[in-house]
Amino acid sequence: MADEREQVAVTFERRDYALTPSPGEVILPTHGRMIHHDPACLHLTDPHELPRFPDPERLLWRRLIDSAPSDDIAGRTEFARSIGLLNGSGRPLVAPCSCVLRPISSTRAAALRPWPLDDAITAFDPGRFASRLHEMEEAAEEVRRSFPWEDWPSLPLARYALGQGDSAQAKPFCYLMEFGSHALGSIAGGSSMKHLLYARSQDGSWWHDPRYADEEEAWEAVRAGIVAAVTAAREGRIADLDSIDAIRSGPSLVSKTLRVYAPEGSVPVYGTDHSRHFLQRLTGQPAAGLERFALRARLKEVVDADERFAGWPYDLVVEFLYWWADPNRTQQIVKIAAGEGGKMWEECRAGGFIAVGWDDVPDLRSYADKDEFVTAFAAAYSDEYNGYRSKISAKANEVWKLLSLRPGDLVVANRGTSEILAVGQVTGDGYVWREDRATFRHTVEVEWDETHAGRLEEPERSWATVTVKDVPAQLWARVRRTGQPAEAPSTTASTLAAQPLDADLRPLADALQRRGQAVLFGPPGTGKTYTALRFAARWLGELSDGLPGVDPYAEPGTPSFGGTLDALTGAGRLTTVTFHPGYGYEDFVEGFRPVQGGSGGLVLDRTDGVFKRVCAAAAADPDHPYLVVVDELNRGNLPKIFGELITLLEKDKRGYSVLLPLSQEQFRVPDNVYLIGTMNTADRSVRLLDAAIRRRFAFLELLPDSSPLQGCHVEQLHLADLLDSLNQRIRAHLDREKQIGQAFFLPNGTPVDSAAALAAIIRGEILPLLQEYAYDDYSLLAAFLGEALVDPETHTLRDLSDEGLTTALYTELQLGGGAAE
C-alpha cells in the first residue's frame, strides 16, 4: 500500500477517512466499480495492465463523492458517465476504493495531517450551494418581517416565549428560531433552557434564571440583553457579548439571532465547540482560553483576513467549513420498538416518524433538565412500575434518549426480539411532541429504509422489555445482515465502515484523550475488566491498519474476540498486568533480577519492567497507540510501583524526561502510551488512594447495569428485576459500593437461562459475597434475600431445590420488591 506518511485526514458524511492522495491519475478496474490510487491494492488484478484516467488536479475522488450522496448510486452513475469514468467493462465507477479513502477512527484522524485548505477550496463548488443561500436569506427575511428589529425594545413576552398555548399556531420568536427556520441552520435538541425563558407546557409555570423574581423581570433582562447583543454585533463588538449576563445561557439562540439581525457582524456558526474546531483547522493552533463570543469574534477575524475567502458571503464560508471539516462525527444508533407487537409500524412508516408512549409526561423540551424530567416521570409512573426506583429511572432514561437524537442518527425499528422492520435516518427536528395525536405523542422524525427488514440470526433477548435502547457495534453488524441488501449499498448500510464507539465506551475514550490514563472503578461484577478489554479490542483494533487476526467489531466471548486481543498483545499494542501486594517498581519500571550467569550460576542484572518496555516500543512506533491495562490497580502499592514516573504520566508532561536512579537513563513517556486501571470499590474506596495518583487519573464509575438482563428470564423470574431489587436492598442496608454487578448473571457474556445455573451462582458466588459484607449476620442476609432462602436462626441457606430457589427469589425480590430507600 502507499506510504502512510502521505495520507491526510478528510471527513465525508460524518465519517473520518484517511486519504491516500492521487498520483495524478486513477486506476480503472476491469470489473469493479471503484476508482483506485494504489497499484498495489489487493482489490486489483494485473494493475499494470489496467487503464488510467487523468487526474491532474488530484481531486477526482472528491468530485466523485460530491456528485451525489453515497446512497444515490444513480446520481453518481450519471456523473461518471458524463466524464467517461468507466471500468474495463464499460460500467460507470461510483465510489473510491479503500486505497483512496480508508475509514478510520476520530483518534486516528486527529493524528493525521488535515486535508489542505488550498486543495479543499479548489475542489469546492459554490454553485452547488446557490439555492441553499437563497433559502437562507428568505428564511431570515421572514423572521425580520414577523419581528421587525424596531419592535424589539418593546416586544411583549407573549411574542417571544415557547409554551404558551399552541406555539405552532402562534409562532412566537423562539418557535421560529428552533422550528420555523431550518434553512438558517439548526439549534434543535436539548431542553428549552437555550431559549433563556419559557413556559412549561405541563403546568404553565415559567422557567427562567432564578436570579429574577418572576417571568416579567426575567423577560425585561433577556430582551435588553438580546438588543444589546445585536447592537454590539452590528458595531463589530462581538466579544462584548460574553459580558451580557442575561443571555449567557443561550449562546446558540443568540448566535442564530445575530444571523438574522446582524448578518455582517459574525460568521454564523452556532455551536461553541464548532467555532473552536473551525478556528483550530483554519489556524493550526488550539483555540483555548477564549469565551464563547470571543471565539466567534476570532473566527470572523481569521476569515476576514484570509484572501481565499475574499468576496464570499459568510453563509457560503460556513457551508464550506462544514463541507471541508465537519465536526459532527458522533452518530447514535438506537433501536425503538414500533409499539407492542409492532402495532404502530404502518402509521410510523407512512408518516415518516417513530412514536413511543408515556404521554403523561408531555413535551420533553418543556423540562429544564433531565433531573426535572425524571422527577416528573417518577410522579406519573411510580404505581405502574411498583415503586421500583431503578426501573422508573431506566424507563425515564429511555424516553429522555429521544431528545438526544439528531439529524443523521439512525433508528432501528423492531418488532419483538428478532424482527427488524426498517432502519431509518433521523431528519428534520429529530424529536417532536405531537399534541395532535391521541396517543404515542413522543415522536422522532425518520426517513425509513426497508433494505434491512428481516429477522436477526439470533434473538436479542434484552429487546423484550425495552422500548428505546442503544445498538452497539456488534449488534449493528447483525442488523445489517438482515434482509436482502441491494447491489448498491444504502445510506444506512454504508455507515458501518467507521461506526462511532458505543455509548458506554465514549467516556473512556474521551478520558484517555484528555488525561492519558483512566481508572474504571465500581462494585464487583460491574464489568470493569470486560469494559477495558472490549475498549482495547475496538479502539486499538480500528487503528491496527490491517493487523492479521484483528476484528474491532468481534463480539466478546467469541473466538474472534479472543483472537483480536491475542493479535494486539502479540504486536505489543496491548499489554495487560495485574497488580498485587508483591508487585513492585522493578516489575513495572526497572530493577535487578536474577539471570543465568556465564558460569551457570545466577547473577543479578538490571532488567526493564513492563511499562518501560511498552514505552520503548511506543517511541519507536509513534503512529499507533499503545495501551496498558492494569487489573486490580488498588491492590498494589501505587507510589512504590510508579515511583518517579507519576510525574511523567501527566498529559502535559509527556515528552519530558526524568533520570531513572538504577539505570541512570533519561526516561520519557511517549504521547501514544495510554493506561487503563480497574478498581473494585468493595475492596478499597477511591478516597483511600494516594492523592498524587488521584490527581493524574480520570476516574469513571461503573455501577450495576440491569439493561443486559432486560427481557431475560429464568422461568418466571426476570433477571433485571432480580438485580435491581437486590441492589435496592443492599443500598438501603449497606452502601452503593457493596452492590452486585450484572456480570454475576452473565457467565461467558450470556445471560443465565436455567434454574440450575442461577442456583449455582446464588449459592457459590453471591451468597458468599453477601456473607462477607454482612460479617455472617444472617438477619442481614435474610433482609437481602428473604427468609424463604435464608434461615437467620440456623445461619444457613435453606435446603431448596434449584427450581424452589428460583421461585423463592421471584416471590421475594420480584413480587416483593426492594426495600425503601
Side-chain angles (χ1 to χ4, degrees):
M1 300 295 287
D3 189 339
E4 186 173 308
R5 288 173 297 179
E6 299 175 2
Q7 295 181 338
V8 295
V10 300
T11 59
F12 176 67
E13 293 184 347
R14 299 176 67 169
R15 294 295 176 198
D16 290 304
Y17 296 88
L19 166 67
T20 300
S22 164
E25 59 183 11
V26 300
I27 303 170
L28 309 179
T30 302
H31 301 289
R33 301 194 66 185
M34 296 183 177
I35 62 172
H36 297 261
H37 285 176
D38 187 357
C41 179
L42 299 177
H43 297 120
L44 292 172
T45 57
D46 298 323
H48 298 293
E49 303 299 325
L50 294 174
R52 268 56 170 174
F53 190 91
D55 184 20
E57 289 184 313
R58 303 188 176 194
L59 294 171
L60 183 60
W61 65 273
R62 187 78 212 204
R63 303 201 188 283
L64 176 59
I65 64 176
D66 279 344
S67 65
S70 57
D71 63 327
D72 184 4
I73 301 304
R76 290 193 179 180
T77 296
E78 181 181 354
F79 169 78
R81 285 194 186 282
S82 71
I83 64 172
L85 186 63
L86 310 174
N87 67 14
S89 303
R91 300 186 70 192
L93 302 182
V94 295
C97 175
S98 59
C99 71
V100 179
L101 289 179
R102 179 170 58 85
I104 57 175
S105 72
S106 58
T107 304
R108 182 65 187 136
L112 292 176
R113 182 170 62 96
W115 187 35
L117 179 60
D118 284 335
D119 288 354
I121 289 178
T122 300
F124 184 69
D125 179 9
R128 294 176 55 214
F129 300 91
S131 61
R132 189 178 303 178
L133 297 185
H134 179 68
E135 291 172 1
M136 294 174 73
E137 188 49 42
E138 283 189 333
E141 184 56 35
E142 180 183 351
V143 177
R144 290 191 290 264
R145 282 195 302 268
S146 300
F147 298 89
W149 180 244
E150 56 269 21
D151 291 353
W152 266 89
S154 59
L155 191 73
L157 175 58
R159 293 279 289 134
Y160 173 82
L162 290 169
Q164 307 167 91
D166 188 350
S167 293
Q169 180 67 30
K171 290 185 171 58
F173 179 77
C174 289
Y175 179 87
L176 281 184
M177 286 290 98
E178 183 160 5
F179 306 110
S181 54
H182 290 306
L184 292 175
S186 175
I187 60 170
S191 74
S192 293
M193 289 178 64
K194 62 175 171 284
H195 292 299
L196 303 167
L197 175 68
Y198 67 92
R200 296 181 173 94
S201 59
Q202 60 266 38
D203 59 10
S205 63
W206 286 89
W207 182 92
H208 54 75
D209 190 317
R211 81 178 79 183
Y212 306 117
D214 55 33
E215 67 273 13
E216 289 299 334
E217 182 181 340
W219 171 232
E220 290 288 333
V222 168
R223 182 177 59 195
I226 291 175
V227 170
V230 172
T231 301
R234 288 179 168 184
E235 295 174 356
R237 299 182 289 107
I238 310 171
D240 289 357
L241 272 65
D242 287 319
S243 63
I244 305 176
D245 286 342
I247 62 171
R248 192 176 296 276
S249 299
S252 59
L253 173 73
V254 173
S255 295
K256 192 168 183 178
T257 301
L258 297 184
R259 165 59 188 87
V260 174
Y261 295 109
E264 298 304 316
S266 67
V267 179
V269 176
Y270 304 147
T272 300
D273 289 342
H274 290 195
S275 296
R276 185 176 292 110
H277 170 80
F278 290 137
L279 256 180
Q280 183 164 351
R281 290 298 298 268
L282 288 169
T283 65
Q285 301 295 323
L290 295 177
E291 289 194 66
R292 292 169 173 177
F293 287 98
L295 272 173
R296 291 159 171 79
R298 176 63 181 144
L299 179 60
K300 182 178 184 297
E301 288 177 6
V302 169
V303 170
D304 289 345
D306 196 322
E307 294 182 355
R308 290 168 291 192
F309 296 123
W312 290 32
Y314 287 145
D315 288 338
L316 183 61
V317 172
V318 172
E319 293 295 332
F320 168 79
L321 291 176
Y322 280 97
W323 172 88
W324 170 51
D326 190 351
N328 292 306
R329 307 295 210 290
T330 302
Q331 180 186 51
Q332 296 188 85
I333 305 176
V334 299
K335 85 92 188 175
I336 304 179
E340 185 177 358
K343 66 181 181 181
M344 300 296 300
W345 173 236
E346 292 304 325
E347 185 179 355
C348 290
R349 177 169 60 179
F353 60 83
I354 192 73
V356 304
W358 294 290
D359 295 333
D360 289 344
V361 284
D363 191 344
L364 300 181
R365 292 192 175 97
S366 67
Y367 296 95
D369 53 31
K370 183 179 178 181
D371 290 341
E372 184 177 282
F373 168 74
V374 172
T375 300
F377 189 94
Y381 291 101
S382 180
D383 290 343
E384 181 171 335
Y385 297 114
N386 299 317
Y388 288 170
R389 291 182 57 182
S390 56
K391 179 173 286 189
I392 291 169
S393 177
K395 290 299 178 183
N397 287 336
E398 288 185 49
V399 183
W400 189 257
K401 181 75 174 179
L402 303 179
L403 198 56
S404 71
L405 297 177
R406 302 284 188 273
D409 290 339
L410 300 181
V411 173
V412 178
N414 72 293
R415 175 160 45 207
T417 59
S418 299
E419 186 175 2
I420 306 301
L421 299 168
V423 177
Q425 207 166 52
V426 177
T427 60
D429 296 318
Y431 170 79
V432 177
W433 168 256
R434 303 194 185 215
E435 189 71 49
D436 57 328
R437 292 176 56 81
T439 58
F440 286 74
R441 295 174 177 176
H442 296 287
T443 70
V444 176
E445 297 181 323
V446 180
E447 182 178 331
W448 294 112
D449 174 3
E450 297 182 70
T451 299
H452 298 289
R455 301 190 71 82
L456 291 172
E457 301 157 348
E458 297 288 339
E460 184 62 25
R461 293 171 62 185
S462 65
W463 285 6
T465 56
V466 178
T467 301
V468 182
K469 187 175 176 63
D470 285 317
V471 176
Q474 294 86 357
L475 180 54
W476 174 232
R478 291 168 54 199
V479 169
R480 288 186 64 248
R481 290 197 292 268
T482 61
Q484 299 294 325
E487 177 184 353
S490 67
T491 300
T492 54
S494 68
T495 60
L496 178 66
Q499 185 184 336
L501 281 173
D502 298 340
D504 61 329
L505 298 182
R506 289 175 205 150
L508 181 52
D510 292 342
L512 291 182
Q513 291 301 312
R514 186 176 66 253
R515 302 296 298 275
Q517 47 276 333
V519 172
L520 300 175
F521 71 99
T526 49
K528 298 174 289 295
T529 304
Y530 168 85
T531 298
L533 294 179
R534 189 161 62 93
F535 175 82
R538 179 69 189 280
W539 190 61
L540 295 175
E542 283 188 336
L543 306 177
S544 63
D545 296 335
L547 193 68
V550 172
D551 177 6
Y553 303 103
E555 293 198 47
T558 64
S560 180
F561 183 78
T564 295
L565 295 179
D566 289 344
L568 292 170
T569 301
R573 311 275 177 83
L574 171 65
T575 301
T576 56
V577 297
T578 301
F579 282 1
H580 53 79
Y583 201 90
Y585 178 89
E586 62 274 15
D587 301 295
F588 200 61
V589 184
E590 64 176 12
F592 288 102
R593 290 289 189 185
V595 298
Q596 196 73 33
S599 61
L602 295 178
V603 297
L604 289 177
D605 190 19
R606 186 188 56 78
T607 305
D608 289 341
V610 170
F611 191 70
K612 187 178 179 184
R613 294 197 298 270
V614 170
C615 289
D621 183 20
D623 288 335
H624 296 98
Y626 282 69
L627 178 64
V628 178
V629 174
V630 179
D631 211 11
E632 304 284 359
L633 180 79
N634 52 317
R635 293 190 64 230
N637 184 334
L638 300 186
K640 177 183 176 183
I641 292 172
F642 284 104
E644 62 277 349
L645 298 192
I646 196 63
T647 298
L648 300 184
L649 287 177
E650 289 191 60
K651 195 69 173 175
D652 61 352
K653 302 295 192 302
R654 297 296 179 93
Y656 289 14
S657 65
V658 296
L659 183 68
L660 297 181
L662 292 180
S663 63
Q664 291 295 297
E665 295 176 357
Q666 292 291 334
F667 178 73
R668 295 174 175 83
V669 178
D671 286 331
N672 57 326
V673 171
Y674 302 88
L675 193 150
I676 299 174
T678 70
M679 178 174 168
N680 191 334
T681 51
D683 298 334
R684 185 182 186 191
S685 170
V686 170
R687 296 186 298 274
L688 300 179
L689 285 182
D690 181 82
I693 299 291
R694 291 203 309 270
R695 287 196 302 270
R696 287 166 172 85
F697 282 78
F699 284 82
L700 305 175
E701 186 173 27
L702 297 185
L703 290 173
D705 176 15
S706 64
S707 60
L709 304 173
Q710 290 290 340
C712 302
H713 292 77
V714 173
E715 298 180 354
Q716 73 272 49
L717 176 62
H718 186 202
L719 294 177
D721 287 346
L722 167 64
L723 180 66
D724 290 339
S725 296
L726 178 57
N727 280 329
Q728 192 166 325
R729 294 185 176 196
I730 292 172
R731 290 194 300 271
H733 290 285
L734 296 175
D735 57 59
R736 67 201 299 267
E737 294 182 347
K738 298 293 193 298
Q739 295 180 87
I740 301 296
Q742 68 278 3
F744 284 98
F745 303 101
L746 293 164
N748 300 316
T750 303
V752 63
D753 60 2
S754 72
L758 177 61
I761 291 169
I762 296 295
R763 295 185 182 113
E765 299 176 41
I766 292 179
L767 182 62
L769 186 61
L770 293 178
Q771 286 176 309
E772 179 185 338
Y773 289 167
Y775 296 99
D776 289 328
D777 179 349
Y778 276 75
S779 296
L780 183 54
L781 282 178
F784 295 147
L785 296 171
E787 292 193 11
L789 282 83
V790 177
D791 185 340
E793 294 185 2
T794 62
H795 291 198
T796 60
L797 189 68
R798 295 191 188 277
D799 187 14
L800 301 174
S801 67
D802 296 342
E803 291 76 12
L805 187 148
T806 299
T807 300
L809 288 171
Y810 168 71
T811 303
E812 177 72 21
L813 289 169
Q814 186 169 339
L815 297 184
E821 293 189 77

